[in-house]
Amino acid sequence: MRDATPQTVYLKDYTPPDYLIDQVELVFELDEQRTLVRAGLDVRRNPDSRSASEALTLFGEELLLVGISLDGQALAAGDYTLSDEALTIHRVPGDRPFRIDIENIIDPQANTALEGLYLSSSMLCTQCEAQGFRKITWFLDRPDVMSRFTTKLIADKTQYPVLLSNGNKIGAGNLDGGRHWVAWQDPFAKPCYLFALVAGQLEYVADEFTTVSGRRIALEIFVEAHNVDKCGHAMQSLKNAMRWDEETYGLEYDLDLYMIVAVDHFNMGAMENKGLNVFNTKFVLARPDTATDSDYEHIEGVIGHEYFHNWSGNRVTCRDWFQLSLKEGFTVFRDQQFSGDRSSPAVKRIEDVNMLRTRQFAEDAGPLAHPIRPEAYIEINNFYTLTVYEKGAEVVRMLHTLLGAAGFRQGCDLYFKRHDGQAVTCEDFVKAMEDANGVELTQFRRWYSQAGTPVLEVEQAFDAGRLTLTVKQSCPPTPNQPEKLPLHVPIKLGFLAADGSPARFQYRGEFCEEATVSLTEAEQRFVFESLTEKPIVSLLRGFSAPVTLKIDRDPEELAFLLSYDSDTFNRWEAGQQLVSRIIFGLIADIQAGRTLTANPVLTEAFRAILADAGADLSYRALLLSLPDEGYLGGQMAVVDVEAIHQAREFVRLSLATALSAEFQRVYAEHHQDESGCFDASAVGRRRLKNACLSYLTALEKPDSYALAETQFRSARNMTDQIAALSAVVNSRNPTKADCLDSFYRQWQREALVVDKWFTLQATCHMPETFATVQSLMQHPAFDMKTPNRVRSLVGAFSQSNPLHFHARNGDGYRFLADRVIELNTLNPQIAARMVGGFAQWRRYDTDRQALMTRELRRIVETEHLSKDVYEIASKSLA
């Protein structure tokens, strides 16, 4: 077990820093195993400090102190105290600015946690968010201390010919012994979590962007030499994001240079360090034969996300880490807007909501539930969660819905103008929205402090042209919040007439076809008048609030909405609800031992979709999708993983059997080689034909086997090749082993493609999957020190394969616990994320509960357990 229980940090205990650091001068003498860091800090007492202490405490971890001085005078051992996590100078001037100079040594090669300065392949790079800078030198490592940085990098010129840091390059030169130096200066004050450096043997792709005011910005993407040909899409995505932010938010880039570096070893997706973004290669590198359409879309989205942070995160940053959603929720909303504008808004919205409801709602319903602004944490890295990011984005979206696009833009303009160069809070963001629009959002603020997913129960009554909707809201108790107050919930709605056309109505004296009502009470009635007949109600259009909606509908009404609803989200949602209703009926039949029968309502609804000639083919493909097994499990009081899988597969096979001719026809109509073409039509054709291929292979017939194998062998783009291989792997196709071997041989030098190969096998539903996963752990290409590879195998199996991870014998649980314990000493952040596979143990039967809690206790009792893993495992058990 742990040597000591880690301390909890509370929002209520926040106090301003006693000291501020105005200027930072850093000099690095870079070496894989022994990097010397010299830090010069210009410090002054904070006029807002609430403490009378004369001591200055700086944070630091895993640092070897060489020397320290105050105003040029070396300090003796008695002048300071050194601990594992801090350096305290006992007496510093309180009435004037002063200078602290520190020299220390760090070992990047030994830093497998990938925080601070570390080695990725042969490249040195940094990751300082949230608290990685304290692993570089002793510092006031908190986001409300904003400093101007000057950085000088010194290194062997052959080993590290490229030396990068934040801001603008201000000097460079050669030194004796084959070394050289480059100096950088960032003119903008920033928290140390936005500091970055990169050194290595890198090539770069260059371009430029002309801002709306006519300034020319140099753009550079740095990669290892063999990846230079995979940067074109990332560069164009950056330029698209820069233009979009100018047009949509009026925000212009502020430096003369914008750099991106792609690294293999990275705990997150990317990092918005000022002027020098460090990216996981997964979100930079793309070529039609190595990246899928989804990869291309995700790259553009993540490139946009990190660029948008230049204002929503960098120019205006967080006062403390409890405010993390201030920058992340806001920026996720912005990147969702951007991606929707760049592709299909309907498809983007559905994909975002699908992920939210499948994964974030589960987080809300478990022991790790927390508000988007948490009240406490042990390890801040554990709060880079779906709640903070995705639910945080939904809260921002609700403000956009309530205020309208123009009002929201006014609020953003005021926010950036009022707080540029400051470290602020979520309250400051909401206050700017209020002040810019002359509205009052006191009740809305509860979204920031209340955990859990609200439930809306709707009843309807129609009489003489008047429809009354009675809406009740509630929220299940969550850890530390047994009682919940009513929230301010925007509900966008419309009505459909019997012929499927929009039904006009009167609400609050105005005639309209769509309205947004504000639910603010625990129970509230909304009255709509001037209706000529009882309409079909379309509620929560565009998923206008992150809630669970309960309203009685029969299958025929759901099928009607699936056919006619003009709201693209609700049309898809009706299909999902229809399929879910049928699947849960089949689950009941399975549990009761009854014979399973297909539902003709669903078959005819899908037949209509396949016959539809709508232009948005990607949207049609989504309409043909079945609910994820994880999403279905989240709606059960006790998850029955085998019955869910059996029922869902029965539906898939029934549809494939009944609509085989239609699936074959649509596949043939859209099967063409458009490799390298990424317009909406080409992407849609690939999505639709590959959805059809998936259904056809469910038939387990020789002609469907041949169809999948032929596409696999002939595909010239990764989208078609991986879709075909997935169809082969998730069937009894006799060519499966040969196809897998062929794919690996073809792509073994492309790490990101090999990740796909691992994931495909880890998420397979066929019986031999767990044995395959165990054998892949011994594969030469598997490396526990590479986060992408761990996520592709261990993470994919435990988080995306409920059938086999939750096997009754507990093998999946033991496997995951063993990997967590192994990762704990290598990379605590990744280890903690893997523990999440156990978080929902209370949702399962008693036997599985016992097996999962046993593994959680084994993890908690591990010696020298990191606080990252301890927090997640102990809270899961609590």
Side-chain angles (χ1 to χ4, degrees), residues 555-852:
E556 288 73 22
E557 186 172 297
L558 290 170
F560 179 86
L561 288 167
L562 175 59
S563 297
Y564 296 110
D565 201 327
S566 61
D567 182 79
T568 51
F569 175 82
N570 273 9
R571 185 182 173 199
W572 171 83
E573 171 68 354
Q576 294 293 289
Q577 292 300 316
L578 175 60
V579 177
S580 296
R581 180 85 59 85
I582 290 167
I583 287 175
F584 284 124
L586 292 168
I587 289 172
D589 291 339
I590 291 167
Q591 293 172 336
R594 294 188 289 265
T595 302
L596 305 187
T597 57
N599 189 304
V601 173
L602 181 62
T603 302
E604 292 312 307
F606 270 53
R607 192 188 306 278
I609 295 168
L610 287 165
D612 186 4
D616 192 340
L617 301 180
S618 290
Y619 181 65
R620 282 179 66 194
L622 273 177
L623 291 177
L624 294 170
S625 65
L626 302 181
D628 181 89
E629 291 182 22
Y631 172 72
L632 294 165
Q635 298 180 64
M636 297 185 71
V638 178
V639 181
D640 187 336
V641 291
E642 291 90 356
I644 289 172
H645 179 74
Q646 184 181 344
R648 186 178 182 276
E649 286 299 296
F650 178 83
V651 168
R652 191 165 77 100
L653 179 58
S654 298
L655 290 169
T657 302
L659 303 172
S660 174
E662 286 88 342
F663 283 123
Q664 290 177 16
R665 174 183 57 78
V666 173
Y667 178 89
E669 286 176 357
H670 297 93
H671 181 51
Q672 53 188 285
D673 180 26
E674 297 176 280
S675 302
C677 186
F678 293 97
D679 61 66
S681 296
V683 170
R685 277 188 285 275
R686 286 191 286 268
R687 283 181 172 157
L688 184 56
K689 69 96 174 280
N690 285 324
C692 293
L693 179 65
S694 177
Y695 278 102
L696 290 170
T697 54
L699 297 172
E700 300 283 2
K701 292 183 176 180
D703 55 347
S704 62
Y705 290 161
L707 191 67
E709 186 187 359
T710 299
Q711 179 172 313
F712 170 74
R713 303 288 185 193
S714 61
R716 296 177 56 220
N717 65 80
M718 184 52 64
T719 302
D720 284 350
Q721 189 177 28
I722 202 73
L725 183 59
S726 176
V728 170
V729 168
N730 283 285
S731 71
R732 291 187 290 274
N733 192 316
T735 67
K736 181 189 306 187
D738 183 62
C739 288
L740 281 168
D741 289 343
S742 173
F743 187 82
Y744 180 76
R745 288 194 305 271
Q746 182 181 1
W747 299 114
Q748 58 186 307
R749 291 181 177 83
E750 296 286 348
L752 297 176
V753 181
V754 174
D755 286 339
K756 299 179 192 299
W757 182 78
F758 276 105
T759 295
L760 201 57
Q761 296 175 82
T763 55
C764 174
H765 67 253
M766 301 303 285
E768 68 277 5
T769 294
F770 182 65
T772 299
V773 169
Q774 286 182 305
S775 67
L776 287 172
M777 289 292 300
Q778 310 305 317
H779 194 279
F782 185 78
D783 178 14
M784 285 287 280
K785 294 182 180 180
T786 304
N788 282 355
R789 196 54 47 88
V790 173
R791 285 186 283 254
S792 73
L793 182 60
V794 181
F797 174 72
S798 60
Q799 297 169 18
S800 301
N801 195 336
L803 178 67
H804 292 299
F805 174 65
H806 292 288
R808 290 188 180 278
N809 59 14
D811 284 350
Y813 306 148
R814 284 186 291 274
F815 170 82
L816 180 60
D818 288 343
R819 304 291 79 74
V820 168
I821 292 168
E822 183 179 357
L823 282 164
N824 175 68
T825 57
L826 291 173
N827 191 325
Q829 278 191 46
I830 300 300
R833 287 182 174 88
M834 294 297 111
V835 180
F838 292 122
Q840 300 296 316
W841 61 267
R842 292 171 178 82
R843 303 291 311 282
Y844 294 84
D845 58 78
T846 55
D847 289 343
R848 287 183 170 96
Q849 287 185 14
L851 291 168
M852 280 190 269

Side-chain angles (χ1 to χ4, degrees), residues 308-371:
F308 302 147
H309 264 315
N310 186 62
W311 280 91
S312 52
N314 295 4
R315 287 285 288 263
V316 183
T317 194
C318 300
R319 184 196 72 176
D320 55 74
W321 289 119
F322 296 100
Q323 317 298 328
L324 182 59
S325 197
L326 173 75
K327 73 181 185 77
E328 295 300 349
F330 185 19
T331 305
V332 168
F333 171 70
R334 278 160 37 80
D335 84 51
Q336 289 175 350
Q337 284 184 299
F338 168 64
S339 295
D341 287 348
R342 291 288 305 159
S343 56
S344 165
V347 170
K348 176 59 178 170
R349 186 63 184 139
I350 290 167
E351 289 175 343
D352 290 337
V353 174
N354 202 20
M355 191 267 283
L356 180 89
R357 296 196 307 192
T358 300
R359 298 180 58 199
Q360 193 281 321
F361 277 21
E363 192 169 89
D364 258 351
L368 303 178
H370 57 277

